[in-house]
């Protein structure tokens, strides 16, 4: 049997896609079903948002930046590049990102949506977390 044929016979392991979703854009959205797992990845619940208005499967504070790092970034003490470097180091030293992926696998999610409340869609922790999770997934 050739190596190509052997590989074709093995079941494929589906890697989940990791997407971003801004909380205020998804209010009152009922989600898209069991193939999608929506996880709020902020340390604090979004101000002014009732929990029942946000379709989410989990709130994972453990993957959010530490309170000190989050505060330093939001107060302007750290520019985005420095924040990103420190946050990636926190993620590397934590089991939380792997647990988030394990929970998604257990739920048989094909897509993980990282929900965040930040106004800046380009410079936020969810974008860094997505980058890190994608590297873990391979």
């Amino acid at each position: 049997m050739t190596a190509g044929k052997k590989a074709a016979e093995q079941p494929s392991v589906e890697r989940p896609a990791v997407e971003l979703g801004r909380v205020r854009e998804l209010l009152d959205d009922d989600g898209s079903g069991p193939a999608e797992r929506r996880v709020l990845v902020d340390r604090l619940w979004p101000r002014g948002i009732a929990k029942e208005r946000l379709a989410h499967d989990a709130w994972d504070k453990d993957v959010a930046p530490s309170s000190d790092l989050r505060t330093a970034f939001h107060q302007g003490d750290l520019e985005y590049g420095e924040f990103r470097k420190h946050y990636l180091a926190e993620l590397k030293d934590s089991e939380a990102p792997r647990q988030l992926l394990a929970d998604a696998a257990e739920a048989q999610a094909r897509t993980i949506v990282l929900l965040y409340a930040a106004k800046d869609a380009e410079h936020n922790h969810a974008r860094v977390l997505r980058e890190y999770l994608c590297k873990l997934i391979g």
Side-chain angles (χ1 to χ4, degrees):
M1 187 177 294
T2 66
K5 189 170 185 174
K6 195 181 257 187
E9 292 173 1
Q10 295 177 354
S12 65
V13 176
E14 190 169 326
R15 295 180 179 143
V18 182
E19 298 177 358
L20 300 174
R22 188 161 178 268
V23 167
R24 296 205 183 271
E25 295 169 3
L26 297 173
L27 288 179
D28 300 319
D29 182 343
D30 64 358
S32 68
E36 181 176 273
R37 182 159 174 86
R38 292 180 174 194
V39 182
L40 178 64
V41 295
D42 287 351
R43 186 159 300 278
L44 304 174
W45 187 264
R47 185 177 299 168
I49 304 295
K51 288 186 176 148
E52 58 274 0
R53 287 194 63 202
L54 180 63
H56 67 290
D57 300 299
W59 178 16
D60 193 343
K61 300 175 201 175
D62 294 334
V63 295
S66 66
S67 293
D68 289 341
L69 184 57
R70 183 186 61 78
T71 299
F73 180 56
H74 289 291
Q75 290 180 348
D77 298 336
L78 286 177
E79 59 96 29
Y80 182 71
E82 277 297 301
F83 165 79
R84 181 182 169 279
K85 183 175 91 175
H86 289 291
Y87 183 36
L88 285 170
E90 286 184 356
L91 291 170
K92 183 179 177 188
D93 291 340
S94 173
E95 284 300 313
R98 288 168 192 74
Q99 186 60 52
L100 186 151
L101 292 174
D103 292 346
E106 185 176 318
Q108 299 179 346
R110 287 182 289 209
T111 303
I112 302 167
V113 180
L114 305 176
L115 301 173
Y116 67 95
K119 292 177 185 175
D120 187 339
E122 296 300 316
H123 303 98
N124 65 63
H125 74 284
R127 187 167 292 282
V128 178
L129 177 58
R130 179 185 181 275
E131 172 190 343
Y132 187 79
L133 292 174
C134 288
K135 284 183 182 178
L136 286 180
I137 292 168

